Amino acid sequence: MRAVEKGTNATVFTHWNEARNPLVDKIGWYCSYCEMSVRQLIAVEHIVPRDNGGAPLAWENFLLSCVYCNSQKSARNQSRTGYLWPDRDNTDFAFGYNKVDATIALPGPVTPEAEATIDLMGLNRMPGSAHAPTERDTRWIHRLDAWSQAEKCLSIWQNHPQPYTAELIAMVAAGMGFYSVWTTVFAAEPLALPIIKQAFVGTFAEQDANGLRVIRAGGVV
Ligand SMILES: [Zn+2]
């Protein structure tokens, strides 16, 4: 799950939908949870649900979500506690991605929180698995499409490892979404990987003075 930096916003919103465009400017037209590119009907998502006392108009309580993650999550979490959040945590450290399982919780100190997060949004739904998608849930189709395109692009890159190739691939990646699929497929390509990462607006990857990622301020990983 891509860690994002949405910054602060002092606007006094009268409806949460007014925060959509400012959020998109900061973190792009992507679902904050499943990473799908959402060009239509992207929703301003309340991290702590309004039904559970979450602030309805507070920037701090907003992310962007696809209809599938939004409806699966619903009001099932009482608070942020016990889960990982891309605006608070280094979520890219906690999840792994492959074609079969979609999303897995990596071994480590926050594995329980990662597993709870996967369950909350149904991020591991795949046909033939114990977590079958509902008929209307098409996230897995788009994720597999991104895998396919990323693997084709990797082959093109390895045959033509030129900066302009990486730039074009980065444009394809940013258009399709699924940041973690692209960064997983290109993980062993140090010349192309940073260019692809840069194409996704609002990715959080702050480093300390020694160039290391550290536990995020306010986060648990
Ligand atoms: Zn989603």
Side-chain angles (χ1 to χ4, degrees), residues 31-36 65-70 123 139:
C31 176
S32 300
Y33 303 127
C34 73
E35 304 183 341
M36 184 164 62
S65 176
C66 73
V67 66
Y68 309 109
C69 289
N70 205 358
L123 299 176
R139 292 175 295 181

Side-chain angles (χ1 to χ4, degrees), residues 50-201:
R50 286 176 291 131
D51 287 353
N52 297 337
L57 300 173
W59 179 260
E60 295 71 28
N61 198 33
F62 294 152
L63 280 172
L64 292 169
S65 176
C66 73
V67 66
Y68 309 109
C69 289
N70 205 358
S71 63
Q72 176 69 12
K73 177 173 176 282
S74 188
R76 296 196 299 136
N77 63 305
Q78 295 299 314
S79 68
R80 283 184 180 255
T81 305
Y83 305 94
L84 302 177
W85 304 100
D87 65 332
R88 187 196 72 178
D89 300 301
N90 287 314
T91 39
D92 52 321
F93 287 177
F95 300 94
Y97 294 84
N98 64 58
K99 281 187 190 172
V100 175
D101 305 302
T103 310
I104 57 170
L106 295 178
V110 293
T111 302
E113 287 88 346
E115 288 176 342
T117 306
I118 288 169
D119 179 68
L120 185 62
M121 287 73 155
L123 299 176
N124 55 356
R125 284 183 174 178
M126 284 291 286
S129 77
H131 312 279
T134 60
E135 191 172 284
R136 68 192 286 267
D137 185 350
T138 58
R139 292 175 295 181
W140 66 276
I141 298 172
H142 300 298
R143 177 179 280 106
L144 285 181
D145 193 23
W147 273 108
S148 171
Q149 295 298 319
E151 287 171 341
K152 284 180 194 166
C153 285
L154 178 62
S155 175
I156 292 169
W157 162 253
Q158 288 172 338
N159 285 309
H160 306 279
Q162 307 298 329
Y164 65 83
T165 314
E167 296 285 351
L168 286 171
I169 291 170
M171 288 171 61
V172 174
M176 292 198 78
F178 295 107
Y179 172 89
S180 296
V181 168
W182 291 87
T183 55
T184 300
V185 170
F186 279 82
E189 301 294 333
L191 294 179
L193 185 61
I195 296 171
I196 293 170
K197 286 183 172 180
Q198 276 178 12
F200 288 81
V201 62

